[in-house]
């Protein structure tokens, strides 16, 4: 319930980064699919494993995997496995249709389509919840668990599917119906108020919703795990295995590295000439450039498409279908360039999931942090590297020769890596970006700890922005109203953004140790070796492994923020000759 999708459109047609609809941009929602009736349509099976009804009428759940039977009896475990896979396909089908509706609403749907789309999406979401949480689905999970316990099944992939499905089901079942309905009303109302408040610089109208949502999320956290701190519960929902103690340690390292470095650059660093970044590049030229950038990253163009929207986003529909949406500014071509590369990183991750996971609960990315590590790996580690400037400049000259014909590779490298604090997170450079996340994390921490309420947020925002970025906050629109995440109740989400960048810094030495020449691949404009390593170590696992397990397996060591801090310090001290 507290989880919400990244950069996606709700049924009301608003295009923004988070939604009141309760699904995640990349499919990591706690109710993992939406569904309806079982595809075979029978009420129960006519065998020894009736829906919990023992042959003697006692009502005890009877499973052939748990009792001896007369000679010639056929074990029903394989049939149960087939039924489970059919259930997963039903869930996937509803999810696929929901994503189609959401993508359409964010890109090409007319304004007056919102009401009908909302009705259709509500029906699909309701069917999903019913099927995922039905007594029949619960019994099927129990019977399959018994079959594995008795050694009647040994399919390793099915065991992973069952584990992930059971977790999705358990979390979906945790919330009473009235809580789900109340939360939906609250977040949709808050979302509508935020849209008006953000444009009007009106914190007062949005303020009450912060307190109401925090209170609701504290209550909801108790349904999931009454023994844990509520904020820890939500941090774990967005990134399994993470809690406030782990994030406190992570941000302490980031703070120690980045804050003095930003100060040093402001005091002693010389900013490069970069007027060409704001030169006019036509929409037509940028559209053509976008497709070439997607190909350069390595997207299979038969498995993707490009749409246009207010805020760039991507969506994975299936193992053979992931889509990118961008926004073009004719006086800021680089915004589109790096949006395309970033979203292509998300999309190629979705397309790289093991095809055997198609239409199961293992399909899709495992967490927001891992997803962000893929997008930022291509955007920053590859796309802003010195080695990549040759292939990138070749495309820029092809599509905008009047702007980039006389720009050199070193000049472009310095320009796309300018580190200069600004107030807006979405416009932040690679170095200062984690400071924006830290501001939000620290305020959320205080709200959940009871150390602050909504009325304190603007003041806290101003104080922390001044401390970390050295900037004053002149308006609420440029401060605490700038992000839509809180309007959807997505508290605990922000930290995963910074964590994603930190993950990808740790991938680099692991790649090099495996013989992948990252710099050579970037310079050649042939990222096949990079994609091969990511595919083997990250993408193929889908939801089968949680984030920290993936990092451990890929890098041969637990997550360590030192790699990220060393990367930032080394890169930007060199760029600014500090």
């Amino acid at each position: 319930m507290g989880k919400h999708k990244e950069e996606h459109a709700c049924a009301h047609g608003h295009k923004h980064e988070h939604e009141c609809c309760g699904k995640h941009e990349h499919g990591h929602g706690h109710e993992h699919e939406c569904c309806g009736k079982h595809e075979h349509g029978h009420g129960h099976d006519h065998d020894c494993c009736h829906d919990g009804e023992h042959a003697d009428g006692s009502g005890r759940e009877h499973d052939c995997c748990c009792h001896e039977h007369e000679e010639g009896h056929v074990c029903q475990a394989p049939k149960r496995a087939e039924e489970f896979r059919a259930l997963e396909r039903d869930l996937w089908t509803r999810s696929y249709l929901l994503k189609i509706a959401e993508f359409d609403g964010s890109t090409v749907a007319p304004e007056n389509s919102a009401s009908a789309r909302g009705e259709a999406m509500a029906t699909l979401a309701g069917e999903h919840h019913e099927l995922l949480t039905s007594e029949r689905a619960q019994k099927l999970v129990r019977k399959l668990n018994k079959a594995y316990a008795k050694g009647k099944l040994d399919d390793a992939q099915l065991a992973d599917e069952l584990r992930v499905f059971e977790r999705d089901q358990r979390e979906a079942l945790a919330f009473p119906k009235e809580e789900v309905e109340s939360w939906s009303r609250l977040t949709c109302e808050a979302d509508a108020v935020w849209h008006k408040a953000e444009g009007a610089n009106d914190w007062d109208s949005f303020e009450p919703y912060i307190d109401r949502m925090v209170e609701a999320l504290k209550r909801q956290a108790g349904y999931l795990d009454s023994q844990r701190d509520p904020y820890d519960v939500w941090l774990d929902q967005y990134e399994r295995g993470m809690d406030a103690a782990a994030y406190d340690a992570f941000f302490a390292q980031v703070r120690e590295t980045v804050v003095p470095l930003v100060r040093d650059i402001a005091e002693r660093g010389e900013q490069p000439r970069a007027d060409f970044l704001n030169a006019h590049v036509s929409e037509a030229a940028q559209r053509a450039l976008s497709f070439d950038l997607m190909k350069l990253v390595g997207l299979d163009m038969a498995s993707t498409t490009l749409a246009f929207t207010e805020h760039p986003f991507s969506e994975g529909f299936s193992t053979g279908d992931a889509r990118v949406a961008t926004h073009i500014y004719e006086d800021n071509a680089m915004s589109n360039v790096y949006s395309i590369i970033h979203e292509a990183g998300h999309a190629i991750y979705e397309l790289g999931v093991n095809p055997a996971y198609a239409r199961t609960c293992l399909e899709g990315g495992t967490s927001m942090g891992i997803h962000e590590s893929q997008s930022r790996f291509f955007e920053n580690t590859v796309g802003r590297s010195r080695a990549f400037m040759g292939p990138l400049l070749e495309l820029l000259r092809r599509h905008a020769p009047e702007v980039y014909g006389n720009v050199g590779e070193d000049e472009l490298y310095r320009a796309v890596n300018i580190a200069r604090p600004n107030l807006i997170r979405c416009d932040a450079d690679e170095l200062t970006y984690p400071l924006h996340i830290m501001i939000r994390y620290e305020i959320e921490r205080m709200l959940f700890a009871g150390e602050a309420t909504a009325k304190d947020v603007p003041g806290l925002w101003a104080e922390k922005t001044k401390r970390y970025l050295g900037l004053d906050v002149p308006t609420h629109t440029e401060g605490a109203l700038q992000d839509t995440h809180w309007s959807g109740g997505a508290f605990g989400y922000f930290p995963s953004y910074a964590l994603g960048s930190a993950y990808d810094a740790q991938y680099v030495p692991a790649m090099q140790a495996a013989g992948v020449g990252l710099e050579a691949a970037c310079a050649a404009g042939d990222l096949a070796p990079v994609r091969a390593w990511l595919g083997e170590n990250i993408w193929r696992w889908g939801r089968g492994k949680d984030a920290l397990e993936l990092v451990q397996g890929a890098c041969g060591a637990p997550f360590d923020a030192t790699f990220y801090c060393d990367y930032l310090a080394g890169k930007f001290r060199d760029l600014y000759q500090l």
Side-chain angles (χ1 to χ4, degrees):
M1 285 217 327
K3 295 183 73 174
H4 298 268
K5 48 186 293 199
E6 160 82 355
E7 301 188 19
H8 227 93
C10 72
H12 305 294
H14 303 307
K15 175 66 192 72
H16 54 264
E17 290 184 355
H18 272 280
E19 281 317 328
C20 55
C21 308
K23 278 187 57 63
H24 233 278
E25 170 184 338
H26 301 291
H28 316 303
H30 54 277
E31 295 179 4
H32 201 62
E33 300 299 329
C34 42
C35 40
K37 297 284 291 178
H38 194 281
E39 79 172 1
H40 299 302
H42 24 263
H44 61 264
D45 296 315
H46 304 290
D47 57 39
C48 69
C49 298
H50 290 323
D51 289 337
E53 193 67 34
H54 196 275
D56 62 8
S58 65
R60 298 194 309 274
E61 190 168 311
H62 182 114
D63 195 314
C64 65
C65 300
C66 302
H67 301 276
E68 295 297 329
H69 298 275
E70 67 267 19
E71 186 176 352
H73 176 80
V74 177
C75 177
Q76 295 299 312
K79 183 178 181 180
R80 294 297 177 209
E82 291 177 7
E83 290 181 18
F84 179 72
R85 289 265 169 75
L87 174 61
E88 288 186 291
R89 288 193 297 272
D90 274 352
L91 292 167
W92 174 88
T93 297
R94 272 69 176 186
S95 175
Y96 185 83
L97 293 173
L98 263 176
K99 290 176 182 179
I100 291 289
E102 291 170 334
F103 192 88
D104 183 78
S106 301
T107 54
V108 298
E111 181 179 351
N112 289 342
S113 69
S115 178
R117 186 171 61 255
E119 287 295 322
M121 291 171 68
T123 298
L124 288 167
E127 290 177 352
H128 164 260
H129 188 269
E130 288 175 10
L131 224 153
L132 178 63
T133 62
S134 69
E135 184 62 28
R136 176 176 179 77
Q138 295 176 62
K139 289 177 179 177
L140 187 56
V141 167
R142 289 197 296 269
K143 290 173 182 179
L144 286 172
N145 279 330
K146 289 179 181 179
Y148 273 102
K150 292 291 184 179
K152 302 297 184 180
L153 289 171
D154 60 0
D155 183 331
Q157 179 180 319
L158 181 63
D160 284 338
E161 292 172 39
L162 188 61
R163 171 179 52 81
V164 172
F165 185 96
E166 188 174 16
R167 182 170 69 184
D168 292 340
Q169 185 183 72
R170 181 174 62 252
E171 291 176 355
L173 283 164
F175 304 104
K177 180 180 179 180
E178 58 271 19
E179 185 76 49
V180 175
E181 293 173 347
S182 173
W183 178 253
S184 178
R185 287 192 294 269
L186 175 59
T187 54
C188 283
E189 184 180 340
D191 180 72
V193 170
W194 173 81
H195 270 84
K196 294 179 181 178
E198 189 263 347
N201 187 37
D202 179 13
W203 174 259
D204 289 344
S205 66
F206 183 60
E207 179 183 295
Y209 291 95
I210 293 289
D211 288 333
R212 289 173 63 189
M213 284 187 286
V214 169
E215 187 61 33
L217 287 169
K218 287 181 179 180
R219 184 173 62 251
Q220 292 170 20
Y223 292 123
L224 288 169
D225 189 342
S226 61
Q227 303 304 308
R228 297 187 72 185
D229 177 87
Y231 192 46
D232 283 344
V233 169
W234 295 115
L235 291 171
D236 181 75
Q237 283 284 296
Y238 290 107
E239 202 70 10
R240 303 289 182 179
M242 292 298 291
D243 58 18
Y247 276 120
D248 285 349
F250 167 62
F251 282 118
Q253 277 190 268
V254 171
R255 186 185 304 109
E256 184 178 338
T257 298
V258 176
V259 172
L261 182 52
V262 169
R263 189 179 302 116
D264 285 349
I265 290 171
E267 293 173 353
R268 300 188 285 125
E270 182 179 346
Q271 297 291 1
R273 179 187 82 84
D275 53 296
F276 55 85
L277 294 180
N278 300 115
H280 181 87
V281 178
S282 72
E283 181 175 340
Q286 289 197 53
R287 282 177 178 248
L289 172 61
S290 297
F291 285 105
D292 280 348
L293 287 167
M294 291 165 73
K295 294 173 186 175
L296 184 57
V297 169
L299 279 174
D300 176 1
M301 299 307 292
S303 298
T304 191
T305 191
L306 179 63
F308 298 89
T309 186
E310 182 182 353
H311 296 291
F313 71 102
S314 57
E315 179 66 272
F317 291 79
S318 70
T319 52
D321 184 355
R323 308 178 192 184
V324 171
T326 190
H327 186 93
I328 288 174
Y329 301 94
E330 292 192 329
D331 61 349
N332 187 0
M334 280 300 153
S335 173
N336 179 51
V337 165
Y338 284 102
S339 289
I340 288 290
I341 297 175
H342 179 100
E343 300 304 340
H346 283 303
I348 204 167
Y349 174 23
E350 294 279 341
L351 293 173
V353 172
N354 184 351
Y357 293 172
R359 298 166 181 79
T360 76
C361 64
L362 299 183
E363 188 177 55
T366 193
S367 75
M368 286 315 303
I370 292 295
H371 239 300
E372 200 67 10
S373 77
Q374 302 311 292
S375 60
R376 292 193 177 274
F377 185 89
F378 283 98
E379 177 191 354
N380 293 328
T381 306
V382 171
R384 297 184 196 273
S385 69
R386 175 61 183 85
F388 194 68
M389 292 302 102
L392 178 57
L393 192 54
E394 180 182 343
L395 291 184
L396 292 169
R397 287 172 174 169
R398 180 187 306 167
H399 294 284
E402 70 285 1
V403 175
Y404 291 96
N406 295 318
V407 175
E409 291 182 18
D410 284 334
E411 196 174 10
L412 182 63
Y413 175 60
R414 298 252 0 240
V416 301
N417 284 291
I418 289 174
R420 180 187 293 127
N422 85 49
L423 292 169
I424 307 301
R425 176 187 64 87
C426 290
D427 297 333
D429 57 79
E430 183 182 13
L431 179 63
T432 61
Y433 187 84
L435 301 182
H436 287 263
I437 301 304
M438 193 161 63
I439 290 168
R440 290 149 176 82
Y441 168 73
E442 291 182 359
I443 292 173
E444 288 185 356
R445 192 95 152 77
M446 294 177 72
L447 288 170
F448 274 80
E451 297 170 1
T453 62
K455 69 179 176 57
D456 303 312
V457 169
L460 289 168
W461 196 287
E463 183 270 323
K464 292 176 184 297
T465 299
K466 186 69 172 181
R467 187 197 315 168
Y468 296 142
L469 296 169
L471 301 175
D472 295 318
V473 182
T475 68
H476 298 304
T477 299
E478 296 166 285
L481 284 174
Q482 67 179 267
D483 299 302
T484 184
H485 300 59
W486 288 346
S487 74
F491 290 81
Y493 190 153
F494 277 121
S496 68
Y497 285 134
L499 200 62
S501 295
Y503 288 157
D504 90 51
Q506 196 164 343
Y507 299 154
V508 174
M511 280 186 186
Q512 293 170 338
V516 177
L518 177 59
E519 186 173 342
C522 290
D526 179 6
L527 301 177
V530 177
R531 294 194 301 272
W533 188 92
L534 290 170
E536 175 66 23
N537 291 280
I538 305 295
W539 302 345
R540 71 184 179 100
W541 296 103
R543 297 183 74 217
K545 290 185 178 182
D546 288 338
L548 297 181
E549 181 185 3
L550 266 183
V551 172
Q552 171 82 47
C555 303
F559 169 64
D560 184 350
T562 303
F563 292 95
Y564 179 49
C565 293
D566 288 350
Y567 160 75
L568 290 176
K571 176 177 180 176
F572 286 94
R573 290 197 177 279
D574 180 66
L575 272 165
Y576 285 92
Q577 300 180 347
L578 297 175

